[in-house]
Amino acid sequence: MKTVYLDNNATTKTAPEVVEAMLPYFTEKYGNASSMHTFGGAVGHDVEAARKSVAALLGAAHADEIIFTSCGSESDNTALFSAVRSYPGKRHIVTTRVEHPAVLNTCKYLQSQGYGVTYLPVDGNGMISLQDLEAAVTAHTALVSVMMANNETGVVFPVEEAARIAKSRGALFHTDAVQTAGKLPIDLKNSRIDMLSISGHKLHAPKGIGALYVRRGTRFVPFLIGGHQEHSRRAGTENVPYIIGLGKACELARAHMSETGRIAALRDRLEHGITAAVPNVRVNGGGSPRLPTTLNISFEFIEGEAILLHLSDLGIAASSGSACTSGSLEPSHVLRAMGVPFTFAHGSIRFSLSVYNTGSDIDFVLAELPPVIMKLRAMSPFWHEAQGKACRAGAESL
Amino acid sequence: MWDYTDKVIDHFKNPRNVGSIDKPDGVGQVGNIICGDALKLFIKVDSATSRITDAKFQTFGCGSAIASSSALTEMIKGKTLAEAAAVTNQQIADFLGGLPKEKMHCSVMGMEALEAAIKSYKEGGAPVVNELEEEGRVVCKCFGVTEEKILRAAKDNHLRTVEEITNFTKAGGACGACRADIQAVLDRHYNAASAVQEKAPFARLTMVQKIHRVEEALARDVIPGLNADGGSVELVDIEGSVIRVRLLGMCSGCANAGFTIENFVEKKLREQLDPAISVESV
Ligand code: FES
């Protein structure tokens, strides 16, 4: 069966070119990048080339501003802990209610350690307000952490403005760019951002590799303590094959940046196709600037897991902000923060695209999805209630 | 991805008895859109035989909620009301070859809808909303779960932890503010239950129960103490409230054997089981 993979915000396929670039580092090029001999030294060179490639994708001025980590979560944790440890006198953090758990739960942990955390709300379109941010940042704020784009809705936040506000009060600024890197241009050398997290497996590198950008001159305290790797900023023997993979993926992502328009057009076709064919739907974050790859759409009166199970049967992979898929019993914290009504929140589906998607993928979903929605609505008591009300209202207006 | 059985997937993909009944004899409703699942059950009852001749459902929910509803209608069709009333949530889950533990609340929803539908029939057919959700003290505000519902789930399914209560009723599964309260409800229930057990006079227990209790008390409260002195004790016989034991190891030849029996073994068993007990050594 053909798989139509539209869950790229969850993880992406490792690009074949990336796999190919990595393979020699499992076999003949097994040297330790930190060794003194030429055998290891050659590998060390390749690691530096990969670092340059990551720096280039992010528009960083210097390759040594890139620290390789094991994943996006490690990058986020490192940034947050480094900021509060670097400024022990400041015991306040500002973030948003819709961050990834890697930031949100780290903030909750810091709260339990006595730090104050302000969680900025979002409006119905999933957007933060810079006025709220202005009001929240004080001289006691160690760090402002605002994601570059939300993983569930794709809503893109005004991080440059946010960074300006943070810097004007003497706070560090971190952004989780895990969903953005490779999808939107990033130009750190002309930016006020101090720290930025990315994750390999969201941009066609494998799982198990990430990076943290730390601007030169930023106070930094390592998260993982041990040897002198990464200029003593992240201990642990370099994960060479994966670092090479991430370097290659960033190179490909730069080359693929020109495809953004094509992907955005596919997403828009998917969005318009569904909203035209299916009544009672709502595009979450639709009123805000969004990543070109992401569509979060809610189907009223039905539940997300049931939709996903049917789609999965048809070979379509997507994900849901519904409670039942995660086992958390509650719908997504992002949709709730946006005030998406419960009649919609449980029935939300996220489609997320990559360069590997084609027009025929979209056609397939547009053909197969509406009957699934109809089938589930036909068995939903709330759908019938709503239809009954609509009928009565219609009859009365006659 | 949940590990659903083939039977769950089958009933999800091909649900039996979806829809509504024109002029139903009973309609039961449970759950709501805020909680993420809801079930409306329609039944037709032959009044002469009290048999459920037809059952249909409408469900809002995940795969296992739809499968549980479908299973429920298959199970109750053709049953008398009395037989249907005896259907438990565990039987619904068993019918489907089991449910993931986090999804047991789907089977509970089925059982509750059935109860409400039967009540609706008895009251003349007007729809009945499950009353466990409507009355009593609300413990979990996020999901509107009452103390009664928690107690019932605990009793019916032998649940002992807050996590299990969450799996079966959802209570505690959102903000978590009610978890201490759920624990308190469980503590009250189990303390009361064990208090009742203690009060039952030893002499009135069955032989099997007696042996079980004595063995348990010996293992927990007596043997460890004797072990410390290199001895032990075994149960030989029980007659009425007279318990015959044999001292083992160091204790068996000990000059203080009589003292040990009276002041240690008997004392402990009286404390634990019933003051009317006496212990003899053989
Ligand atoms: S009150 Fe029970 S989970 Fe929130």
Side-chain angles (χ1 to χ4, degrees):
Chain A
M1 188 174 62
K2 173 180 151 90
T3 299
V4 173
Y5 188 76
L6 292 167
D7 201 10
N8 288 283
N9 285 15
T11 195
T12 59
K13 152 180 165 165
T14 307
E17 298 91 327
V18 168
V19 177
E20 204 186 318
M22 291 172 69
L23 287 176
Y25 297 86
F26 289 106
T27 52
E28 67 266 31
K29 298 187 179 181
Y30 57 83
N32 187 328
S34 298
S35 297
M36 275 314 294
H37 42 73
T38 29
F39 181 60
V43 169
H45 262 110
D46 299 345
V47 166
E48 291 318 306
R51 200 184 303 278
K52 285 204 185 86
S53 165
V54 176
L57 179 68
L58 302 179
H62 314 281
D64 62 17
E65 294 174 317
I66 305 298
I67 302 171
F68 290 113
T69 65
S70 64
C71 58
S73 294
E74 187 194 322
S75 300
D76 287 338
N77 271 261
T78 305
L80 267 62
F81 280 104
S82 172
V84 298
R85 286 171 182 157
S86 299
Y87 293 91
K90 298 184 175 186
R91 301 189 57 86
H92 179 233
I93 295 172
V94 179
T95 186
T96 77
R97 279 181 63 187
V98 298
E99 293 297 310
H100 186 273
V103 169
L104 220 43
N105 287 334
T106 306
C107 284
K108 287 200 185 122
Y109 170 77
L110 287 170
Q111 253 178 318
S112 77
Q113 300 301 300
Y115 290 88
V117 181
T118 305
Y119 299 94
L120 300 176
V122 294
D123 65 15
N125 275 312
M127 183 52 79
I128 54 164
S129 129
L130 292 171
Q131 280 81 356
D132 288 348
L133 180 63
E134 293 253 20
V137 188
T138 72
H140 301 291
T141 307
L143 177 77
V144 176
S145 179
V146 174
M147 65 198 332
M148 204 172 258
N150 184 268
N151 48 313
E152 291 189 26
T153 58
V155 169
V156 176
F157 289 145
V159 286
E160 273 317 320
E161 290 82 344
R164 187 183 47 74
I165 293 168
K167 304 304 294 172
S168 72
R169 312 271 159 87
L172 289 179
F173 186 83
H174 165 254
T175 185
D176 176 332
V178 162
Q179 295 294 348
T180 327
K183 294 173 195 163
L184 294 179
I186 299 176
D187 185 19
L188 286 169
K189 56 187 172 308
N190 297 308
S191 159
R192 291 187 176 83
I193 295 167
D194 296 305
M195 294 185 280
L196 177 147
S197 305
I198 69 167
S199 165
H201 75 104
K202 310 281 192 192
L203 66 152
H204 305 291
K207 295 147 193 76
I209 185 75
L212 175 66
Y213 162 87
V214 181
R215 182 176 296 282
R216 272 192 189 173
T218 305
R219 285 196 204 171
F220 185 80
V221 177
F223 182 65
L224 206 55
I225 296 167
H228 294 298
Q229 294 87 355
E230 301 294 287
H231 297 288
S232 297
R233 292 176 303 177
R234 199 268 190 186
T237 299
E238 297 85 346
N239 185 2
V240 173
Y242 286 71
I243 289 173
I244 301 298
L246 180 60
K248 186 72 190 175
C250 287
E251 183 190 319
L252 291 174
R254 279 218 303 160
H256 285 151
M257 211 57 101
S258 58
E259 294 218 41
T260 306
R262 179 182 73 85
I263 301 167
L266 289 180
R267 191 274 312 271
D268 292 344
R269 188 141 72 79
L270 181 63
E271 179 171 325
H272 299 145
I274 296 174
T275 51
V278 184
N280 298 74
V281 299
R282 159 191 174 117
V283 176
N284 298 310
S288 295
R290 275 179 300 160
L291 290 175
T293 52
T294 307
L295 169 62
N296 188 311
I297 188 161
S298 289
F299 300 91
E300 202 177 13
F301 308 120
I302 53 178
E303 198 281 328
E305 182 200 291
I307 303 173
L308 288 186
L309 283 173
H310 277 302
L311 290 183
S312 153
D313 229 44
L314 295 160
I316 301 169
S319 66
S320 168
S322 99
C324 299
T325 47
S326 59
S328 74
L329 297 180
E330 273 203 310
S332 120
H333 70 285
V334 176
L335 300 183
R336 273 180 301 134
M338 291 166 67
V340 174
F342 275 103
T343 52
F344 281 99
H346 288 289
S348 73
I349 299 290
R350 180 187 67 188
F351 296 103
S352 46
L353 292 76
S354 80
V355 284
Y356 295 108
N357 288 116
T358 62
S360 76
D361 290 346
I362 304 304
D363 294 338
F364 187 70
V365 175
L366 289 177
E368 301 292 342
L369 176 71
V372 166
I373 303 300
M374 261 164 55
K375 177 176 173 150
L376 289 171
R377 279 185 175 164
M379 68 173 84
S380 165
F382 301 121
W383 173 253
H384 288 282
E385 266 170 35
Q387 297 306 99
K389 271 184 210 143
C391 281
R392 277 194 301 280
E396 274 157 24
S397 69
L398 278 179
Chain B
M1 195 90 191
W2 298 107
D3 205 358
Y4 286 137
T5 64
D6 292 346
K7 196 108 188 247
V8 171
I9 293 292
D10 175 37
H11 276 262
F12 163 67
K13 282 207 263 183
N14 314 297
R16 332 291 200 256
N17 313 305
V18 176
S20 57
I21 294 177
D22 213 24
K23 306 208 187 75
D25 298 317
V27 181
Q29 241 174 299
V30 53
N32 61 61
I33 206 153
I34 295 172
C35 293
D37 46 22
L39 164 56
K40 195 167 181 181
L41 178 69
F42 303 81
I43 54 173
K44 200 87 193 150
V45 181
D46 175 26
S47 55
T49 58
S50 278
R51 231 169 246 290
I52 297 176
T53 54
D54 198 8
K56 291 235 184 301
F57 78 91
Q58 291 174 345
T59 289
F60 162 77
C62 58
S64 58
I66 291 168
S68 295
S69 311
S70 167
L72 170 72
T73 53
E74 287 287 277
M75 289 168 76
I76 62 172
K77 277 212 291 195
K79 279 201 166 68
T80 65
L81 288 174
E83 287 162 353
V87 169
T88 65
N89 66 285
Q90 190 58 51
Q91 286 169 347
I92 298 172
D94 291 346
F95 182 91
L96 291 166
L99 286 172
K101 66 182 191 319
E102 295 86 348
K103 295 279 188 176
M104 283 303 287
H105 57 84
C106 295
S107 68
V108 172
M109 182 168 80
M111 182 181 73
E112 290 175 353
L114 173 60
E115 281 165 3
I118 293 174
K119 183 152 181 264
S120 150
Y121 167 72
K122 290 187 174 150
E123 291 174 357
V128 167
V129 174
N130 177 266
E131 60 181 13
L132 283 175
E133 305 218 337
E134 298 292 295
E135 286 162 22
R137 182 176 77 88
V138 172
V139 174
C140 175
K141 296 202 177 63
C142 290
F143 291 111
V145 183
T146 59
E147 177 155 359
E148 251 104 291
K149 178 161 170 168
I150 290 171
L151 278 176
R152 164 126 191 245
K155 270 185 232 156
D156 288 357
N157 300 286
H158 312 289
L159 311 182
R160 296 226 157 226
T161 65
V162 175
E163 192 192 327
E164 288 172 322
I165 294 290
T166 306
N167 290 339
F168 279 75
T169 68
K170 293 183 156 194
C175 74
C178 59
R179 283 190 201 133
D181 201 358
I182 297 174
Q183 186 65 57
V185 169
L186 286 175
D187 288 349
R188 274 201 297 282
H189 169 62
Y190 285 109
N191 288 340
S194 55
V196 170
Q197 274 181 9
E198 269 164 29
K199 271 187 239 119
F202 186 78
R204 289 238 297 273
L205 298 174
T206 67
M207 193 58 177
V208 179
Q209 285 171 325
K210 284 180 185 173
I211 294 173
H212 189 70
R213 297 266 167 92
V214 172
E215 296 272 32
E216 215 176 64
L218 287 176
R220 190 181 58 223
D221 297 299
V222 177
I223 294 176
L226 297 180
N227 281 167
D229 294 320
S232 190
V233 67
E234 67 179 358
L235 175 64
V236 179
D237 192 16
I238 302 175
E239 206 180 298
S241 294
V242 180
I243 298 168
R244 301 211 170 82
V245 301
R246 179 182 296 122
L247 289 172
L248 303 170
M250 297 293 276
C251 302
S252 59
C254 171
N256 286 331
F259 182 83
T260 304
I261 290 288
E262 225 176 88
N263 284 285
F264 184 62
V265 183
E266 192 176 76
K267 185 162 166 267
K268 283 284 177 196
L269 291 183
R270 280 182 175 172
E271 269 170 33
Q272 292 303 319
L273 303 173
D274 190 339
I277 280 172
S278 67
V279 177
E280 293 176 9
S281 132
V282 296

